């Protein structure tokens, strides 16, 4: 009897070991596909990570993972698609939709991303939750307070143009940064506020079409742009009167441009549905160049709108000259041998390639 029990336990342990081993064999640690390539890391909306104190260590994990792989992946640029926080100015969280005040949320994401400030540029756009009290009740934001230009010295060296606010003062919610890649290709990162006002949209088209920038490759960061069917968002019901959403941004800025070749956005989501958080399409601008438009978010994965914040998903864009390889990776799943087989997005919308003109 004891012998049978012993053999049964032995077989169980062997089966468990083989299972873990099989999981390990399906996992490949992130490396460059091309040794001469460089990587752009794209962060999704981080709002659900910071609105609950219990979730904040996950965004710290994501940032620290990026920090640890700067050399391995030749990471040169980190971009954020907006909604850094859930509540810009909330003072009385109810513990259900969040348990951190707006100030605590801004402090958390600013502190977390500061890990990278001396290492690589970190450029973010603003989402609807980064304005007003909880959801763009007005155009007031604390973004400039917690992400001043002096915070990241790379950003300070790269900034080239800044739009003025209603008081005639420069405001980083609409700004232009210049970045030179390792292969000497010159990029511009154009940051636009959520649902940009008409004046800022006109500022943007005039800026990027300046003759001195015509040979640059422009990346536009615009929080609300594509829906999950990869269509340009036409209208949203926010209490702002002067605002342009995806379709208007395409028609007034991206299509008439001669050098915008990539648009990155976030904003959309569906509880625990990966496909509800993403979109991709390619069109042609007035300069005859392909424009690759990609929406990437994850905020309602890992338990829905009140879950863990997005299962730690990041987008890794590897630039090999004109060729760009897109992969989706979760440092959260990757930290444990029992879950690292889940760390790579395998769906067609999670791993694909495109080519720049």
């Amino acid at each position: 009897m004891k012998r049978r029990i012993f053999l049964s336990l032995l077989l169980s342990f062997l089966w468990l070991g083989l299972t873990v081993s099989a999981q390990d064999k399906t996992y490949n640690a992130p490396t460059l596909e091309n040794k001469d390539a460089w990587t752009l890391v794209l962060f999704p909306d981080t709002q659900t990570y910071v609105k609950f104190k219990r979730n904040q260590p996950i965004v710290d994990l994501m940032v620290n993972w990026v920090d640890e792989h700067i050399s391995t992946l030749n990471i040169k640029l980190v971009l954020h698609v907006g909604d850094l926080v859930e509540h810009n100015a909330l003072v009385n969280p109810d513990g259900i939709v969040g348990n951190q005040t707006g100030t605590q949320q801004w402090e958390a994401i600013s502190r977390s991303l500061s890990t990278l400030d001396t290492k690589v540029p970190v450029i973010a756009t603003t989402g609807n939750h980064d304005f007003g009290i909880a959801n763009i009740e007005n155009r007031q934001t604390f973004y400039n307070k917690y992400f001043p230009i002096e915070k990241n010295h790379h950003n300070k060296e790269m900034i080239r143009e800044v739009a003025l606010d209603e008081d005639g003062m420069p405001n980083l919610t609409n700004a232009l940064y210049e970045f030179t890649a390792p292969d000497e290709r010159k990029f511009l990162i154009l940051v636009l506020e959520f649902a940009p006002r008409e004046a800022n949209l006109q500022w943007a088209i005039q800026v990027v079409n300046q003759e001195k920038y015509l040979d640059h490759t422009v990346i536009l960061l615009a929080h609300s742009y594509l829906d999950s069917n990869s269509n340009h968002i036409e209208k949203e019901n926010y209490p702002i009167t002067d605002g342009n959403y995806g379709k208007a941004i395409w028609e007034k800025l991206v299509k008439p441009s001669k050098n915008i070749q990539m648009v990155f956005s976030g904003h959309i989501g569906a509880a625990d549905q990966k496909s509800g958080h993403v979109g991709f399409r390619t069109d042609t601008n007035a300069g005859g160049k392909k424009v690759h438009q990609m929406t990437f978010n994850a905020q309602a994965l890992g338990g829905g709108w009140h879950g863990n914040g997005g299962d730690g998903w990041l987008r890794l864009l590897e630039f090999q000259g004109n060729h760009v390889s897109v992969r989706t990776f979760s440092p959260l799943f990757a930290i444990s041998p029992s879950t690292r087989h889940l760390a790579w997005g395998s769906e067609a919308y999670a791993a694909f390639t495109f080519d720049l003109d």
Side-chain angles (χ1 to χ4, degrees):
M1 183 68 176
K2 291 181 178 179
R3 181 182 176 85
R4 286 199 299 271
I5 293 174
F6 172 77
L7 288 173
S8 177
L9 289 172
L10 179 60
L11 289 171
S12 295
F13 283 122
L14 287 173
W15 177 85
L16 180 61
L18 288 171
T19 301
V20 173
S21 176
Q23 291 175 350
D24 284 346
K25 288 180 180 178
T26 65
Y27 173 74
N28 294 307
T31 58
L32 287 174
E33 297 175 0
N34 183 317
K35 64 180 179 62
D36 297 321
W38 63 275
T39 299
L40 181 160
V41 177
L42 192 65
F43 271 74
D45 301 26
T46 50
Q47 61 201 85
T48 307
Y49 293 121
V50 298
K51 71 181 182 181
F52 292 114
K53 188 175 183 180
R54 62 180 178 268
N55 291 347
Q56 291 177 0
I58 300 176
V59 75
D60 289 335
L61 169 67
M62 296 160 68
V63 171
N64 286 322
W65 183 89
V66 171
D67 186 23
E68 291 176 358
H69 288 78
I70 287 176
S71 178
T72 306
L73 298 178
N74 199 21
I75 296 171
K76 296 298 183 182
L77 189 60
V78 174
L79 302 181
H80 191 300
V81 298
D83 273 354
L84 292 111
V85 300
E86 176 81 358
H87 309 109
N88 176 58
L90 189 69
V91 298
N92 57 338
D94 61 8
I96 299 173
V97 298
N99 59 18
Q100 301 291 281
T101 66
T103 296
Q104 289 173 316
Q105 294 177 42
W106 278 113
E107 288 176 345
I109 191 60
S110 178
R111 179 177 61 248
S112 184
L113 290 173
S114 67
T115 299
L116 303 173
D117 281 342
T118 61
K119 315 287 183 62
V120 292
V122 180
I123 300 172
T125 190
T126 45
N128 46 299
H129 288 278
D130 299 324
F131 292 91
I133 301 171
N135 196 356
I136 201 161
E137 297 85 354
N138 56 61
R139 288 282 188 174
Q140 300 299 309
T141 178
F142 287 117
Y143 174 79
N144 291 275
K145 176 180 178 180
Y146 290 97
F147 288 88
I149 193 61
E150 299 82 6
K151 181 177 185 297
N152 182 302
H153 77 87
H154 299 282
N155 293 18
K156 185 171 182 283
E157 293 176 356
M158 289 165 50
I159 196 161
R160 296 293 179 268
E161 313 274 353
V162 185
L164 303 181
D165 63 19
E166 294 86 346
D167 298 320
M169 299 298 289
N171 194 311
L172 294 174
T173 56
N174 297 281
L176 187 74
Y177 301 82
E178 185 177 30
F179 166 75
T180 302
D183 62 0
E184 300 303 318
R185 185 171 188 141
K186 291 187 178 298
F187 288 84
L188 294 174
I189 296 92
L190 174 61
V191 174
L192 287 182
E193 65 188 2
F194 172 75
R197 285 164 282 196
E198 192 66 29
N200 290 322
L201 209 55
Q202 293 305 312
W203 165 84
I205 188 64
Q206 292 171 12
V207 164
V208 298
N209 275 344
Q210 291 181 77
E211 186 174 353
K212 62 182 177 179
Y213 294 139
L214 291 183
D215 292 330
H216 288 61
T217 299
V218 181
I219 300 172
L220 169 63
L221 281 178
H223 180 69
S224 172
Y225 189 76
L226 294 182
D227 63 22
S228 60
N229 293 315
S230 300
N231 296 318
H232 294 119
I233 295 173
E234 293 191 35
K235 176 68 177 174
E236 297 193 78
N237 296 316
Y238 293 104
I240 49 174
T241 55
D242 182 6
N244 289 275
Y245 298 96
K247 187 174 182 180
I249 295 171
W250 163 255
E251 292 178 346
K252 297 178 182 180
L253 170 62
V254 182
K255 185 179 180 180
S257 76
K258 298 177 182 178
N259 50 8
I260 296 179
Q261 293 194 52
M262 286 172 280
V263 182
F264 299 150
S265 58
H267 187 55
I268 63 172
D272 291 314
Q273 295 180 26
K274 290 182 181 180
S275 62
H277 287 79
V278 296
F280 185 84
R281 63 182 291 154
T282 300
D283 297 293
T284 304
N285 66 19
K289 296 179 179 178
K290 294 189 294 292
V291 185
H292 305 286
Q293 301 147 83
M294 182 173 72
T295 287
F296 168 62
N297 196 11
Q299 71 186 78
L301 300 178
W305 303 108
H306 301 155
N308 70 17
D311 278 343
W313 291 105
L314 295 168
R315 272 273 165 94
L316 309 177
L317 283 74
E318 181 178 323
F319 286 74
Q320 309 164 16
N322 290 342
H323 185 69
V324 183
S325 176
V326 180
R327 296 178 291 173
T328 309
F329 180 79
S330 169
L332 179 63
F333 287 133
I335 61 174
S336 171
S338 64
T339 57
R340 60 178 53 151
H341 63 289
L342 302 172
W344 288 105
S346 58
E347 302 86 356
Y349 52 75
F352 57 95
T353 64
F354 62 83
D355 293 297
L356 300 172
D357 288 326

